[in-house]
């Protein structure tokens, strides 16, 4: 059924791709974004791809109750997808209190505002990083949480808060989606990953090397207990992640309370696998140097995606080469990203 959906962080990498899927599925979309790591131009491109604009774009901080109250008062919000957060493992080790303030403070402000305005459906952007340093891969939703960095701990803490909120408010429904590693871009080349400053995530770093903006990749450690010694991750195409959020809205009323679901492919790739695939797809050399491990990193994170497949009949469709191809296409079309 068509809904009016508030998308916090809707101008960001995953948020903008999700807005396209929501509009294409007939939903009305309202965005709240402070543009600390996004550009308003992304929302213009969302409209171009979807063939129609979002209903409204509010510029503001998700921790700001007045900004939230203004949004809920102005629009008949039926469900919320909460992306707005900081998301870089390495950065979170450097500025942990900022991560707790924004990620946890933003989520508590949002869930309180939702409650005050009678809005009871939330899709929450969680992370595979909550699983921490584990040797038992692939990971199911029943795998224990053992976060190893402030970003992961902030997401784990939000999950606990939302579970308590669901126990307190019987009509509240929360889907906590634990993304593995979103990567790639929209096949049109109009939307993609364009972080402010030096990319924390590896894929935009690769595309910025290939387009001539960066010199070489620092490979953060080759002494992990993996086949080639470098970190293994489950990269999932951002369009798959966006489609997963559309499916989430179709299923949010299936069960009461909070449901946790992995969004991953079930296939792992090491840093060197990714570098090799990107070079093959782009035809561009990626110079790299092995450096020390990044504090907070873990050896391997790969999803068991069977729970969401059984529940929704949904699974990721794109492979690593498609992620590299689409990410590179976006960077070629936008050498310096979106206009700031
Ligand atoms: C991937 C691999 C690094 C950069 C985090 C969040 C996750 C998601 C994505 C939100 C690791 C290595 C990286 C570099 C490198 N967030 N690497 N050199 O930390 O796995 O995941 O971001 O959607 O929830 O946990 O992603 O891309 O930073 O790292 O060697 O310059 O690449 O050590 O093995 P990460 P990442």
């Amino acid at each position: 059924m068509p809904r009016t959906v508030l998308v916090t962080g809707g101008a960001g990498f995953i948020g903008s791709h999700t807005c396209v899927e929501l509009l294409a599925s007939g939903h009305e979309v309202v965005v709240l974004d402070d543009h600390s790591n996004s550009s308003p131009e992304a929302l213009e491109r969302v409209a171009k791809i979807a063939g129609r604009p979002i209903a409204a774009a509010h510029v503001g901080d998700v921790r700001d109750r007045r900004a939230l109250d203004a949004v809920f008062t102005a629009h008949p919000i039926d469900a919320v997808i909460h992306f707005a957060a900081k998301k870089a493992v390495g950065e979170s080790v450097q500025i942990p209190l900022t991560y707790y303030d924004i990620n946890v403070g933003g989520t508590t402000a949002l869930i309180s505002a939702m409650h005050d305005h009678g809005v009871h459906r939330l899709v929450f952007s969680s992370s595979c990083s909550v699983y921490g340093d584990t040797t038992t891969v692939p990971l199911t939703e029943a795998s224990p949480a053992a976060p190893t960095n402030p970003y992961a701990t902030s997401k784990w803490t939000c999950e606990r808060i939302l579970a308590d909120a669901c126990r307190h408010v019987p009509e509240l429904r929360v889907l906590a989606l634990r993304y593995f590693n979103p990567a790639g871009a929209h096949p049109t080349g109009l939307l993609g990953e364009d972080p402010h400053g030096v990319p924390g995530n590896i894929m935009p770093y690769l595309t910025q090397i290939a387009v001539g903006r960066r010199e070489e990749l620092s490979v953060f450690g080759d002494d992990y207990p993996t086949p080639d010694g470098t970190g293994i991750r489950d990269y999932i195409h951002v369009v798959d992640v966006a489609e997963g959020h559309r499916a989430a809205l179709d299923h949010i009323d299936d069960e009461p309370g909070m449901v946790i679901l992995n969004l991953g492919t079930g296939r792992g790739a090491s840093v060197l696998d990714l570098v090799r695939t990107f070079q093959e797809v782009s035809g561009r050399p990626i110079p790299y140097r092995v450096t020390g491990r990044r504090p907070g990193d873990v050896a391997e994170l790969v999803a068991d995606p069977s729970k969401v497949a059984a529940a929704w009949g949904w699974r990721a469709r794109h492979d690593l080469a498609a992620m590299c191809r689409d990410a590179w296409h976006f960077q070629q079309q936008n050498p310096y990203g979106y206009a700031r």
Side-chain angles (χ1 to χ4, degrees):
M1 62 169 283
R3 300 183 188 282
T4 298
V5 187
L6 169 61
V7 182
T8 73
F13 174 43
I14 304 171
S16 57
H17 287 80
T18 298
C19 287
V20 168
E21 294 304 322
L22 297 182
L23 289 170
S25 303
H27 298 296
E28 290 306 319
V29 174
V30 173
V31 165
L32 174 67
D33 199 307
D34 67 0
H35 298 308
S36 58
N37 195 30
S38 66
S39 165
E41 185 176 342
L43 296 176
E44 294 167 24
R45 297 187 181 194
V46 164
K48 191 171 181 180
I49 296 169
R52 68 187 178 101
I54 63 172
H58 294 257
V59 179
D61 188 320
V62 71
R63 295 168 291 177
D64 181 349
R65 268 306 301 261
R66 283 172 305 173
L68 290 168
D69 288 337
V71 171
F72 284 113
T73 302
H75 307 281
I77 304 295
D78 178 63
V80 179
I81 302 180
H82 179 34
F83 291 112
K86 293 187 72 67
K87 64 155 191 170
V89 167
E91 183 187 50
S92 78
V93 174
Q94 308 303 324
I95 51 171
L97 296 184
T98 301
Y99 269 68
Y100 292 126
D101 184 13
I102 293 172
N103 293 5
V104 179
T107 300
T108 51
L110 176 64
I111 197 70
S112 299
M114 287 175 63
H115 183 60
D116 293 348
H117 291 270
V119 180
H120 299 307
R121 294 182 181 88
L122 174 66
V123 178
F124 174 67
S125 166
S126 191
S127 169
C128 62
S129 59
V130 306
Y131 294 114
D133 209 354
T134 174
T135 54
T136 54
V137 290
L139 291 155
T140 74
E141 292 81 355
S143 299
T148 62
N149 57 73
Y151 164 73
T153 302
S154 75
K155 290 297 185 178
W156 169 238
T157 303
C158 289
E159 288 186 6
R160 299 299 91 216
I161 290 167
L162 293 171
D164 286 343
C166 286
R167 279 188 280 275
H168 178 62
V169 181
E171 59 269 35
L172 182 59
R173 298 206 176 345
V174 176
L175 284 177
L177 304 183
R178 289 176 176 170
Y179 314 150
F180 280 69
N181 284 56
H186 196 271
T188 59
L190 289 172
L191 291 177
E193 194 166 7
D194 177 35
H196 291 189
V198 178
N201 290 138
I202 191 166
M203 185 67 92
Y205 207 102
L206 295 180
T207 61
Q208 290 187 14
I209 290 171
V211 83
R213 287 174 57 186
R214 309 265 171 214
E215 293 299 317
E216 73 175 10
L217 175 74
S218 296
V219 174
F220 296 145
D222 66 352
D223 58 348
Y224 284 102
T226 61
D228 67 17
T230 64
I232 292 176
R233 296 292 184 272
D234 182 332
Y235 296 95
I236 178 171
H237 199 293
V238 64
V239 170
D240 284 327
V241 176
E243 290 177 355
H245 283 78
R246 176 196 36 73
L249 286 182
D250 294 342
H251 291 277
I252 193 150
D253 289 332
D254 289 0
E255 289 186 48
M258 185 165 98
V259 175
I260 294 173
L261 291 164
N262 287 340
L263 286 196
T265 69
R267 295 185 301 274
S270 73
V271 173
L272 296 183
D273 289 334
L274 179 58
V275 169
R276 186 165 39 251
T277 304
F278 187 86
Q279 287 181 138
E280 288 165 4
V281 165
S282 66
R284 297 294 173 93
I286 300 292
Y288 69 85
R289 176 193 312 269
V290 177
T291 63
R293 294 183 178 189
R294 177 172 65 181
D297 268 354
V298 298
E300 188 167 359
L301 288 167
V302 175
D304 174 339
S306 55
K307 182 178 176 186
V308 72
W312 299 351
W314 176 88
R315 62 175 57 249
R317 296 183 291 115
H318 298 81
D319 64 9
L320 194 64
M323 292 175 228
C324 292
R325 181 178 62 244
D326 291 336
W328 175 226
H329 180 216
F330 170 76
Q331 193 74 77
Q332 285 180 295
Q333 299 297 310
N334 307 272
Y336 286 90
Y338 300 118
R340 293 284 183 236

